[in-house]
Amino acid sequence: MSPTAARQIVLLPEGNQTEVLEAIRRETLTTAEMAGVVDLWFGCAAEQRQQEYLLRHPREALSQAKGTLPTAHDPRLSEDGNRVWKRVGLQLDALGRMEVWLAHHGHTGLTAQDRTILAPRFQRPGTRRRIGSGPEPGLRQQTAG
């Protein structure tokens, strides 16, 4: 443990140091993330449920406190793995925003073109859905057979 990390842990009440340190090690948090966790710990000192959440999901708690996405770099993953994980996170964020928008506006806020674009692209075997003058690029026509 680095001296900076040790200083952060020492700031915590004696009964909580071990469990916070275990969460930090389990999630392989950086020193900056550790400092954020300690700050959040003091901010939710009276709330047992918040402390439990912080211990179970420290990165998510940090991102919620900052209002940002969780950090995309996980030292346990390769560079390619981190790149994929970041893209998954961006997609999940976009889906969450879409869900909120749809909850407030409903399907009435969608135009006819939006509905066409968002329509399911799956089809039953033996059927062919006509879009424009031919099949969509990259899809093969299915024939009954």
Side-chain angles (χ1 to χ4, degrees):
M1 177 184 309
S2 70
T4 305
R7 281 192 295 273
Q8 292 295 320
I9 294 297
V10 171
L11 293 174
L12 292 168
E14 196 170 313
N16 304 122
Q17 292 173 349
T18 304
E19 57 191 349
V20 172
L21 184 59
E22 287 173 6
I24 290 168
R25 285 183 176 158
R26 181 188 70 240
E27 298 293 324
T28 60
L29 299 180
T30 65
T31 305
E33 291 171 327
M34 182 187 310
V37 167
V38 170
D39 290 342
L40 285 177
W41 187 268
F42 286 119
C44 65
E47 289 288 329
Q48 182 69 26
R49 289 178 51 216
Q50 288 179 345
Q51 289 176 343
E52 290 171 1
Y53 181 79
L54 179 60
L55 291 175
R56 280 193 311 260
H57 309 286
R59 280 197 173 96
E60 287 83 1
L62 287 169
S63 67
Q64 288 175 9
K66 294 178 185 175
T68 60
L69 291 173
T71 52
H73 181 75
D74 186 340
R76 298 171 291 181
L77 297 174
S78 68
E79 288 302 314
D80 288 337
N82 274 301
R83 195 172 309 118
V84 168
W85 187 243
K86 180 178 180 180
R87 289 181 180 166
V88 167
L90 292 171
Q91 290 297 317
L92 290 174
D93 182 54
L95 288 171
R97 285 184 277 133
M98 284 175 58
E99 181 180 31
V100 169
W101 186 88
L102 283 171
H104 291 297
H105 298 282
H107 292 285
T108 58
L110 298 175
T111 65
Q113 184 180 5
D114 294 336
R115 287 189 192 100
T116 302
I117 292 169
L118 296 173
R121 298 203 190 288
F122 300 104
Q123 46 190 335
R124 293 188 321 255
T127 64
R128 183 174 153 243
R129 188 175 76 162
R130 186 173 181 169
I131 298 176
S133 60
E136 289 185 52
L139 295 179
R140 291 185 288 177
Q141 289 181 336
Q142 294 182 353
T143 56

